[in-house]
Amino acid sequence: IDKEENTLMNYKNSKWRNEMAIKIDYNNMMADFIGEEQGFTKKDFDDNKKVIANAFKTVMENRGTGMMGWTELPYNQKEIVDDIIATAKDIKKKFDNFVVLGIGGSALGPIAVFQALCHLRHNELPKSKRKFPKLYVEDNVDPERMAALLSVLDLDKTVFNVVTKSGATSETMAQYLIIMDILKAKYGDKAKDHMIATTSAHKGNLIKIAQEEGLKTFYIPDGVGGRFSELCPVGLLPAAVVGIDIKAMLAGAAYMDKICKNKDFKKNPALISAVLEYIAMGRGKNISVMMPYADSLKYIADWYCQLWGESLGKSVDNEGNLVYVGQTPVKSLGVTDQHSQVQLYREGPFDKVITIIAVENYRATVDISNGCENIPDVNFLCGHTMNELITAERKATEYALTTANRLNYTITLPEVNAFTIGELLYMFEMETAFTGAMLNIDTFNQPGVEGGKNATYALFGKKGYEKTKEEMDNSPKKNPDYIC
Ligand code: PA5
């Protein structure tokens, strides 16, 4: 391994920024490459000209307003970023573990960015090499997981960050209750030194609790929904704590934002990918596979799945008509899934768009050692690098999909660093907004998720949910004949 550290980021230099631009290659979506039956032609783009132009206009007109407050995050957080960096420095001095308590949009972004930008074995490194606290993101209420976490944490060296925009989510508030009880039993009045809150400034219960307990608090802006919150304190605080350059991440998002303002979809990566997915959906391609060829981007695919699924899976359009739209997002990892799912992608139903994420320069180079000189079928690997192998395998998958007439396109990151990750996250957010506008739906609500939250409240006897409880009690009883 010759390069352990990220390439030094010089994001204030415009030449460097342009070298770090993310590229989209959609040749393999076109009829020239995968045939007339599956592939797109100029006519497909022409036929949708109006929808594309209207969607672009809607997003541009609404940016910064309502639930599109996230478009301004690259620009409007100077003081917040300073506070986050100062808090992260303080945490580094006092603690060795930083634990996020949160779920959905409060957890998937921090996990994705941690995996992308920290050493892939960050938590396992000795402190002298790690330099920053360990990060744990607890996004479930599996009792075994909580018990396991508590068994490995030294509480004296641990600070928790409870994150919930609504301040009401059962999973997160249950975790808070458990941890705060333990902290109070151990530290009494000083328990608050081990707990930070990240929540809405005026809505929900967590803000009230945070004020009563005197917790250090970061705020989630009103116009920023859970799955669009990675570039606000929800994601920036955990990232800064583990040593990620959050200013570079925001600079990457701002750089992408500028590109996303181009109304020519051929010059706007978020708009072109929205157009491709929209046309594909119209042809019954109901599955969107996200396949990065980098372990560091594995959880970016997970984060994308929430963004895409929760934003676009809607039963009604903006006029209230039943539409039942959306694409099922699937995460896949190259090359690992070449040995499982690619069989289905190449030979199964024609119901998918496969997005490959390529990385030009990995942060490490590993030579494949010499050996097995008498066995040519093994020896052919020698003299190459793992970098060459993973790149060849990605190209091989593209080739295999294309020759089987499967819709696929490739997003290329010149390298994985805080700037390109900022670009990528922002590009996916914009793509989602453009696609939602093309589908004429509310991209930013989640009535389906809230339905589940409300049913949990009802089952636990929460006040105000009596009607839901009654409806649930009156739902048909299970038929034992159907259980074996
Ligand atoms: O995107 C969303 O809005 C959801 O996935 C939320 O992030 C998730 O349900 C958690 O909500 P909250 O932050 O209110 O606890």
Side-chain angles (χ1 to χ4, degrees):
I1 295 178
D2 62 12
K3 242 202 284 174
E4 277 196 334
E5 303 289 336
N6 273 1
T7 308
L8 194 61
M9 277 178 294
N10 189 8
Y11 60 86
K12 288 180 184 147
N13 173 316
S14 68
K15 185 171 170 278
W16 184 90
R17 285 201 304 268
N18 293 338
E19 280 164 13
M20 288 299 129
I22 289 177
K23 298 261 170 344
I24 301 229
D25 174 352
Y26 58 98
N27 275 285
N28 298 339
M29 297 291 283
M30 303 304 291
D32 329 27
F33 290 84
I34 58 168
E36 293 278 325
E37 198 177 324
Q38 296 298 324
F40 302 170
T41 58
K42 185 175 172 299
K43 185 174 180 307
D44 291 304
F45 296 129
D46 290 345
D47 289 350
N48 286 293
K49 235 181 192 157
K50 220 168 150 194
V51 180
I52 300 167
N54 284 343
F56 180 79
K57 193 164 169 266
T58 305
V59 170
M60 288 303 130
E61 280 174 4
N62 289 312
R63 55 169 298 145
T65 68
M67 288 310 289
M68 281 199 73
W70 51 271
T71 58
E72 305 316 298
L73 295 174
Y75 313 107
N76 65 7
Q77 297 191 95
K78 175 146 185 359
E79 280 164 30
I80 297 162
V81 165
D82 290 346
D83 187 8
I84 287 174
I85 292 173
T87 306
K89 269 195 189 148
D90 196 44
I91 289 171
K92 187 183 166 187
K93 259 191 240 145
K94 295 184 186 148
F95 299 105
D96 205 25
N97 306 305
F98 185 81
V99 183
V100 173
L101 308 174
I103 198 161
S106 304
L108 290 162
I111 295 170
V113 168
F114 175 51
Q115 174 86 1
L117 297 175
C118 285
H119 188 291
L120 286 171
R121 307 271 180 212
H122 177 90
N123 283 2
E124 291 161 47
L125 287 173
K127 202 175 169 188
S128 57
K129 282 199 169 171
R130 183 168 28 89
K131 296 193 189 111
F132 295 91
K134 295 180 187 173
L135 176 67
Y136 298 90
V137 183
E138 298 303 296
D139 62 346
N140 203 352
V141 283
D142 180 334
E144 292 182 18
R145 178 165 167 179
M146 178 58 88
L149 176 76
L150 291 172
S151 76
V152 298
L153 289 180
D154 171 359
L155 285 183
D156 289 354
K157 290 265 145 215
T158 304
V159 62
F160 297 85
N161 178 26
V162 55
V163 189
T164 163
K165 167 128 193 237
S166 62
T169 303
S170 306
E171 295 87 341
T172 308
M173 295 318 291
Q175 289 177 330
Y176 170 80
L177 287 166
I178 294 163
I179 299 296
M180 204 49 171
D181 186 46
I182 295 171
L183 293 177
K184 282 190 174 169
K186 194 156 188 221
Y187 303 111
D189 287 351
K190 298 241 174 291
K192 69 175 170 45
D193 298 345
H194 293 259
M195 182 69 76
I196 295 170
T198 304
T199 189
S200 162
H202 25 257
K203 285 187 210 143
N205 305 309
L206 184 57
I207 186 62
K208 291 180 210 147
I209 297 168
Q211 282 163 356
E212 258 168 45
E213 299 284 355
L215 303 182
K216 167 78 186 161
T217 305
F218 288 96
Y219 301 108
I220 307 175
D222 287 347
V224 178
R227 55 195 178 274
F228 289 85
S229 67
E230 177 50 27
L231 297 171
C232 83
V234 170
L236 296 181
L237 178 62
V241 166
V242 290
I244 291 166
D245 184 344
I246 58 173
K247 288 186 179 169
M249 253 171 81
L250 291 170
Y255 178 81
M256 179 54 73
D257 184 43
K258 213 166 148 203
I259 300 172
C260 290
K261 285 179 181 156
N262 197 328
K263 69 172 176 226
D264 177 355
F265 65 79
K266 293 199 169 145
K267 296 193 177 131
N268 180 336
L271 190 55
I272 185 62
S273 28
V275 170
L276 296 171
E277 300 289 355
Y278 175 76
I279 298 173
M281 276 186 243
R283 295 183 177 191
K285 313 298 176 197
N286 290 326
I287 299 173
S288 160
V289 177
M290 186 56 65
M291 190 171 192
Y293 271 72
D295 269 54
S296 62
L297 303 179
K298 183 174 172 175
Y299 297 115
I300 294 277
D302 231 5
W303 172 87
Y304 163 84
C305 286
Q306 184 209 17
L307 183 71
W308 200 245
E310 202 170 328
S311 302
L312 303 182
K314 298 289 153 71
S315 59
V316 290
D317 68 12
N318 287 325
E319 278 74 51
N321 304 306
L322 281 175
V323 286
Y324 299 115
V325 291
Q327 239 182 355
T328 303
V330 174
K331 56 184 168 180
S332 196
L333 179 66
V335 307
T336 309
D337 283 317
Q338 278 182 223
H339 298 269
S340 64
Q341 298 184 31
V342 168
Q343 171 62 32
L344 171 73
Y345 302 164
R346 191 169 195 254
E347 295 193 8
F350 285 85
D351 55 359
K352 300 170 197 65
V353 178
I354 296 131
T355 308
I356 290 170
I357 310 184
V359 175
E360 259 165 22
N361 291 307
Y362 291 85
R363 289 164 288 187
T365 303
V366 176
D367 291 327
I368 301 173
S369 311
N370 287 324
C372 301
E373 283 78 8
N374 301 329
I375 312 173
D377 283 353
V378 175
N379 188 257
F380 77 97
L381 294 164
C382 304
H384 292 285
T385 61
M386 286 182 91
N387 308 51
E388 288 172 315
L389 185 58
I390 195 168
T391 303
E393 299 223 27
R394 173 178 56 73
K395 288 182 180 163
T397 298
E398 277 181 35
Y399 174 77
L401 293 171
T402 304
T403 49
N405 301 337
R406 305 300 164 140
L407 291 166
N408 70 94
Y409 64 101
T410 300
I411 301 172
T412 301
L413 269 63
E415 62 187 53
V416 176
N417 61 41
F419 185 87
T420 57
I421 289 299
E423 278 186 82
L424 186 66
L425 297 177
Y426 194 86
M427 185 189 84
F428 281 139
E429 290 178 355
M430 267 292 172
E431 177 193 352
T432 306
F434 286 135
T435 311
M438 289 175 201
L439 292 168
N440 185 33
I441 52 160
D442 184 343
T443 311
F444 306 106
N445 69 1
Q446 52 283 322
V449 169
E450 273 144 28
K453 285 188 181 182
N454 294 343
T456 308
Y457 297 149
L459 286 173
F460 259 51
K462 185 172 172 180
K463 206 161 162 266
Y465 294 85
E466 296 76 8
K467 200 162 161 271
T468 313
K469 174 83 171 70
E470 201 184 312
E471 279 165 19
M472 290 177 85
D473 287 345
N474 292 333
S475 59
K477 297 279 161 282
K478 293 251 164 132
N479 183 342
D481 289 351
Y482 298 150
I483 301 173
C484 62

